[in-house]
Amino acid sequence: MKPFMKAHKKFFLTTIIGIVLICILIAIPTGYEDALIYKGTERAVAQVIEVDNSMIKNSGLINSGEQMCVLKVEDGAYKGEEIEGVNFLSGSLEKDKIFQVGDKALITISEVDGEIASVIMSDHYRLGKECILLVLFAIFLVLFAGKNGLQAIYSFVITILMIWKLLVPAYLNGYNPVWIGMAITVCLTGIIILFVYGFERRTIVATLGSLLGIITTAILGILFTELFQIHGAVMTDSESLLYSGYQNLDLTAIFMSGIFIGASGAMMDLSVDITSAIYEVVEKKPTICWREATKSGMNVGRAAMGTMTTTLLLAYSGGYISLLMVFMAQGTPIDHILNYKYVAAEILDTVVGSFGLVTVAPFTALVGGVLLTRKQERVK
């Protein structure tokens, strides 16, 4: 009965903490809600009921010009009205979109003296389908993992909110990206592992193991970013940020922080695996000494590191398949490829993150061996 009550209490406390944190984070303003670019505009969802492609210029794979559409507004101040909108085409396959009758579009309506001045079709409306996907994911997670799945959802939501509500605004406001990134990562690590184990020694063990790896990754990331002479402009859309009036931002420091933030999830995963393995060994053999428990944790860590480093490689390189195809199609020599700044940046991300993982395993095993067997040693 006691284990059941303990588990129930843990779930209740972590649920309260999760809900309270989510509510607090939702209530925190970013300070960028009223951006000047959207003042005097009305955003709405509209259905495309007519299209006019006569002003589109086709040049092989790309289109340029304008697509005119008749739209029926489905929400907002102009709900039910039929208005004409324009879809600007810039000749970029990445950014351009073509609408067809029946599509839903997210539109921006500009007003002057209470009258519609222009209607810009921003993109296809995807929010409804995104919500369906997220709900299906949440349902599947809860059905499969039960209470642990629900706590995983809390972790997921809190992570998103902390990045959007705290991390991104702090970067835009010019705070030191490395220190802010480290603070947010440390908080997230503690919170996420707390949802896994509750208030007990395993939380301390896994958190300490993760933090050592994160700190190691941060130090190596800062050092080798300088040695590799990597500028933060290698990050996607970073230059657009500078041209938007944020010339004071230190893009290189933001890139440095991204190295340990991106690897922190894998480190948490490894530290939790090792901590859980040691805990199970101690539960099955309460008389085990800390040295044997540490050795068991190290064996688990060695096995896990073989796949975790590959996980980082696949996670970072998965989005660069098209770039690799370009290199191969052009016959670019391998020494040139490895010297390109953006390739070196990915190598830095992967290898430094792997260094952090190598650090996590022995430290978590040592801390776990000492802390998780201490209770048994006092009993003997």
Side-chain angles (χ1 to χ4, degrees), residues 93-108:
L93 289 173
E94 178 186 2
K95 298 178 181 179
D96 288 344
K97 58 276 173 189
I98 297 291
F99 293 94
Q100 298 177 349
V101 174
D103 288 347
K104 285 190 176 182
L106 184 64
I107 63 174
T108 302

Side-chain angles (χ1 to χ4, degrees), residues 241-257:
L241 187 60
L242 296 181
Y243 303 147
S244 299
Y246 293 91
Q247 297 92 339
N248 62 316
L249 295 182
D250 187 346
L251 293 181
T252 303
I254 294 174
F255 171 79
M256 292 174 181
S257 69

Side-chain angles (χ1 to χ4, degrees), residues 168-226:
V168 175
Y171 282 1
L172 288 172
N173 288 328
Y175 292 104
N176 187 295
V178 173
W179 287 112
I180 290 295
M182 181 61 70
I184 295 294
T185 306
V186 169
C187 288
L188 281 174
T189 300
I191 291 168
I192 292 169
I193 295 176
L194 176 66
F195 284 132
V196 175
Y197 293 129
F199 294 94
E200 59 171 274
R201 291 184 183 186
R202 285 181 293 176
T203 301
I204 298 173
V205 172
T207 301
L208 288 176
S210 299
L211 292 183
L212 181 67
I214 292 168
I215 292 169
T216 302
T217 304
I219 294 171
L220 291 175
I222 293 169
L223 175 63
F224 280 93
T225 297
E226 297 288 345

Side-chain angles (χ1 to χ4, degrees), residues 58-313:
N58 183 273
S59 302
L61 292 175
I62 61 174
N63 297 306
S64 59
E66 301 172 1
Q67 182 187 35
M68 305 302 298
C69 299
V70 178
L71 309 164
K72 185 173 183 178
V73 184
E74 296 188 346
D75 61 0
Y78 297 94
K79 182 178 180 179
E81 294 189 26
E82 292 187 6
I83 55 179
E84 189 174 59
V86 59
N87 170 31
F88 292 108
L89 303 171
S90 61
S92 169
L93 289 173
E94 178 186 2
K95 298 178 181 179
D96 288 344
K97 58 276 173 189
I98 297 291
F99 293 94
Q100 298 177 349
V101 174
D103 288 347
K104 285 190 176 182
L106 184 64
I107 63 174
T108 302
I109 304 172
S110 298
E111 302 172 321
V112 176
D113 298 328
E115 298 291 330
I116 296 177
S118 64
V119 178
I120 306 298
M121 303 173 70
S122 302
D123 211 328
H124 288 89
Y125 182 72
R126 302 182 178 91
L127 185 58
K129 295 172 184 176
E130 290 172 351
C131 289
I132 291 173
L133 181 62
L134 288 171
V135 169
L136 288 174
F137 166 70
I139 292 172
F140 181 78
L141 192 58
V142 172
L143 288 175
F144 179 75
K147 293 178 180 179
N148 291 332
L150 187 60
Q151 290 170 331
I153 293 172
Y154 296 150
S155 300
F156 188 80
V157 174
I158 289 170
T159 301
I160 292 173
L161 289 173
M162 287 191 74
I163 291 173
W164 183 249
K165 292 281 191 169
L166 301 178
L167 184 72
V168 175
Y171 282 1
L172 288 172
N173 288 328
Y175 292 104
N176 187 295
V178 173
W179 287 112
I180 290 295
M182 181 61 70
I184 295 294
T185 306
V186 169
C187 288
L188 281 174
T189 300
I191 291 168
I192 292 169
I193 295 176
L194 176 66
F195 284 132
V196 175
Y197 293 129
F199 294 94
E200 59 171 274
R201 291 184 183 186
R202 285 181 293 176
T203 301
I204 298 173
V205 172
T207 301
L208 288 176
S210 299
L211 292 183
L212 181 67
I214 292 168
I215 292 169
T216 302
T217 304
I219 294 171
L220 291 175
I222 293 169
L223 175 63
F224 280 93
T225 297
E226 297 288 345
L227 292 176
F228 281 19
Q229 297 179 318
I230 303 294
H231 192 279
V234 296
M235 297 182 294
T236 305
D237 293 326
S238 56
E239 288 189 67
S240 299
L241 187 60
L242 296 181
Y243 303 147
S244 299
Y246 293 91
Q247 297 92 339
N248 62 316
L249 295 182
D250 187 346
L251 293 181
T252 303
I254 294 174
F255 171 79
M256 292 174 181
S257 69
I259 295 173
F260 61 81
I261 291 173
S264 62
M267 294 178 198
M268 278 187 273
D269 189 11
L270 181 58
S271 65
V272 167
D273 287 344
I274 296 173
T275 302
S276 296
I278 295 175
Y279 179 80
E280 288 299 318
V281 169
V282 173
E283 286 291 296
K284 295 296 185 296
K285 188 181 178 184
T287 57
I288 191 172
C289 70
W290 69 269
R291 292 181 182 85
E292 291 179 339
T294 299
K295 185 178 179 181
S296 297
M298 280 297 300
N299 290 336
V300 173
R302 289 190 188 99
M305 277 190 292
T307 56
M308 292 302 294
T309 52
T310 308
T311 299
L312 281 180
L313 174 62

Side-chain angles (χ1 to χ4, degrees), residues 37-56:
I37 190 172
Y38 288 112
K39 284 191 175 180
T41 63
E42 170 87 12
R43 295 188 295 279
V45 178
Q47 186 172 29
V48 179
I49 56 178
E50 290 182 28
V51 296
D52 179 5
N53 297 330
S54 60
M55 289 185 286
I56 296 178

